Amino acid sequence: MAELFDMKELEERVILVAVSTSDEDDTEASLDELEELADTAGATAIGRLVQNREKIHPGTYLGSGKIGELREMVWEMGATGVICDDELSPAQLRNLESALDTKVMDRTMVILDIFAAHATTSEGKIQVELAQLKYRASRLSGLGTSLSRLGGGIGTRGPGEKKLETDRRLIRTRITQLKRELEEVRQHRELLREGRKRSKIPVAALVGYTSAGKSSLLN
């Protein structure tokens, strides 16, 4: 049976987590970048934990000792969740969340959340929602626990539905629908492009960093 979770905004306080598998890894720089991503997504990083291992644990991302240490950090610091610096497999997400008894996110989830918040064109919104649904479909067992416990925050925001669907069958139906909509948008855009070519209307583009003055120049 399908479950729906209200997408409420939360003030998320997170601990950043990484695994370093080589002396050549610049783990701190990677966590600095992850902290900026978390901030953009509306979360505050209140702590960090790094484990040095030969390889990432295939089942829980971290080793058992570090999981115990992280669980203590979550409790002592009042964190609402953790963000891992790598993309977690469905098993890692589920097992880590069960061991920590808190919301677990990964870098991919945070990036998709940021894209969702900034998508403005119809094509962009469809592409972001497609990416979110595909990511979510393979991780429903772990995500369901997170969302039912916290009811919102990173991973629940998106350009599409007002509520978060956690039924695989309905997600597949929505993915099929979005693919049709995306194809229609692309066909419409191609028609407009061909029209501009026939009328020989010149086309220009302004490209630059945020706050670089693109709008001022255009005006």
Side-chain angles (χ1 to χ4, degrees):
M1 183 176 177
E3 289 183 87
L4 290 172
F5 296 107
D6 284 315
M7 291 173 16
K8 302 172 183 174
E9 288 300 316
L10 297 172
E11 183 180 350
E12 296 197 79
R13 295 161 48 83
V14 298
I15 296 174
L16 308 180
V17 182
V19 175
S20 177
T21 58
S22 169
D23 292 337
E24 297 178 358
D25 289 346
D26 196 347
T27 307
E28 287 301 322
S30 185
L31 285 179
D32 288 341
E33 181 183 78
L34 184 62
E35 182 171 351
E36 292 181 8
L37 290 171
D39 180 68
T40 302
T44 301
I46 59 173
R48 294 184 177 190
L49 182 141
V50 176
Q51 179 171 33
N52 296 310
R53 289 177 58 92
E54 290 186 3
K55 59 181 181 179
I56 291 173
H57 193 289
T60 54
Y61 186 65
L62 299 169
S64 58
K66 280 294 181 182
I67 288 177
E69 183 180 338
L70 180 56
R71 186 166 52 237
E72 289 295 320
M73 287 179 64
V74 169
W75 184 80
E76 291 175 358
M77 302 178 76
T80 62
V82 303
I83 301 178
C84 297
D85 196 29
D86 297 277
E87 181 171 328
L88 300 178
S89 70
Q92 287 170 334
L93 176 66
R94 181 175 61 253
N95 295 334
L96 192 56
E97 188 163 77
S98 176
L100 296 173
D101 192 30
T102 193
K103 182 178 181 180
V104 175
M105 298 158 278
D106 62 13
R107 178 181 279 259
T108 301
M109 184 188 292
V110 175
I111 291 172
L112 287 174
D113 196 82
I114 294 170
F115 283 157
H118 292 85
T120 55
T121 66
S122 57
E123 183 176 8
K125 290 179 180 180
I126 293 172
Q127 289 174 329
V128 171
E129 189 178 354
L130 265 175
Q132 286 182 313
L133 289 174
K134 289 177 179 178
Y135 172 90
R136 191 177 297 147
S138 65
R139 295 166 172 81
L140 284 181
S141 57
L143 286 174
T145 305
S146 283
L147 304 177
S148 62
R149 179 187 297 118
L150 294 178
I154 294 173
T156 67
R157 295 183 285 258
E161 306 291 333
K162 291 295 183 182
K163 289 176 179 286
L164 187 66
E165 181 61 65
T166 61
D167 181 88
R168 277 194 176 86
R169 181 180 58 83
L170 295 178
I171 284 179
R172 287 196 296 269
T173 300
R174 179 63 176 160
I175 286 175
T176 300
Q177 177 187 349
L178 288 172
K179 285 180 177 179
R180 286 198 300 266
E181 291 179 9
L182 185 60
E183 184 58 32
E184 290 172 2
V185 170
R186 286 172 173 168
Q187 290 177 0
H188 179 67
R189 185 182 60 197
E190 189 61 32
L191 287 173
L192 294 177
R193 182 183 292 115
E194 290 300 322
R196 287 195 297 267
K197 286 182 179 179
R198 287 194 298 270
S199 60
K200 297 182 179 180
I201 297 175
V203 178
L206 288 174
V207 181
Y209 288 111
T210 302
S211 301
K214 298 186 295 298
S215 298
S216 299
L217 179 60
L218 179 61
N219 293 334

